[in-house]
Amino acid sequence: GDYSKALEFYEKSCKIKEKCLSPNDPDLATTYSNIGSVYNNMGDYTKALEFYENDLKITKKSLPSNHPDLAASYSNIGSAYSNMGDYAKALEFYEKDLEITKKSLPPNHPDLANSYHNIGTMFYGIENKNSGEDNTMPIMDGTNKDMLDAIYANMEPPTLAASNLTEDDRSKCETR
């Protein structure tokens, strides 16, 4: 993507929202999260964390403690720490994500599988880091794909909570 253009427009949006909305408005939190995601994708993880933490601060104040958006905020922070190679810190945030996701979504929801996947990936990274091995973590190599396939294979049929998935995602869930 064109990250500089994305930042330009997200920042314009953010300035307007900061002036017009309450400082605890969830829409402002979403904008902070979007900006954080751009910085995360650009490799500027410190800047990404700054925006993700602003998102989390608002989300914690404005939404219930079991809301899926709060889980996503924790997951985003975990992602930035993971990308920085701080797997223990990432694990802390991914575990908060999992705790909320388990309470707020059905046991067959793909977001729950992603939460488990993220935690497994952190343990993989921590082990390799501690053993002195190459700690480059494959995101979707055959091993991770097999693990996700096993998780999906043991899930119940999808429910209405999966209605926000794309048609392609829904068909993948229904065929398992």
Side-chain angles (χ1 to χ4, degrees):
D2 189 341
Y3 298 131
S4 61
K5 278 288 189 195
L7 278 177
E8 176 187 342
F9 285 94
Y10 280 142
E11 287 170 352
K12 286 179 181 182
S13 170
C14 189
K15 285 180 182 174
I16 293 169
K17 289 177 181 183
E18 286 175 335
K19 289 178 185 174
C20 300
L21 299 176
S22 155
N24 294 323
D25 192 294
D27 200 33
L28 184 57
T30 299
T31 301
Y32 287 142
S33 177
N34 290 340
I35 293 171
S37 292
V38 174
Y39 281 116
N40 201 21
N41 288 328
M42 291 173 63
D44 190 343
Y45 308 124
T46 303
K47 197 74 168 166
L49 273 174
E50 177 186 329
F51 283 94
Y52 286 153
E53 287 169 352
N54 286 338
D55 161 42
L56 178 62
K57 192 180 311 177
I58 294 171
T59 303
K60 285 170 77 172
K61 290 179 183 177
S62 63
L63 295 176
S65 63
N66 64 343
H67 198 282
D69 287 354
L70 183 57
S73 296
Y74 284 121
S75 181
N76 287 340
I77 292 173
S79 172
Y81 278 118
S82 172
N83 289 333
M84 294 168 80
D86 190 343
Y87 306 129
K89 192 74 170 171
L91 181 61
E92 176 185 327
F93 285 92
Y94 283 144
E95 286 175 338
K96 290 178 182 181
D97 161 40
L98 176 63
E99 183 180 331
I100 295 168
T101 302
K102 283 169 60 175
K103 292 177 185 173
S104 63
L105 297 174
N108 63 333
H109 197 281
D111 287 354
L112 184 58
N114 289 338
S115 296
Y116 286 125
H117 173 82
N118 290 339
I119 290 172
T121 303
M122 291 310 94
F123 281 113
Y124 177 84
I126 290 167
E127 178 62 30
N128 283 346
K129 192 173 191 176
N130 290 340
S131 69
E133 293 178 30
D134 176 13
N135 64 352
T136 305
M137 294 186 304
I139 299 304
M140 277 307 284
D141 70 357
T143 305
N144 290 333
K145 183 183 180 308
D146 292 343
M147 180 182 74
L148 283 175
D149 285 344
I151 290 169
Y152 282 122
N154 292 315
M155 291 180 166
E156 297 296 320
T159 64
L160 290 177
S163 62
N164 63 341
L165 299 174
T166 66
E167 191 62 39
D168 186 48
D169 288 337
R170 264 190 241 115
S171 69
K172 288 177 188 172
C173 288
E174 291 166 0
T175 60
R176 301 203 183 273

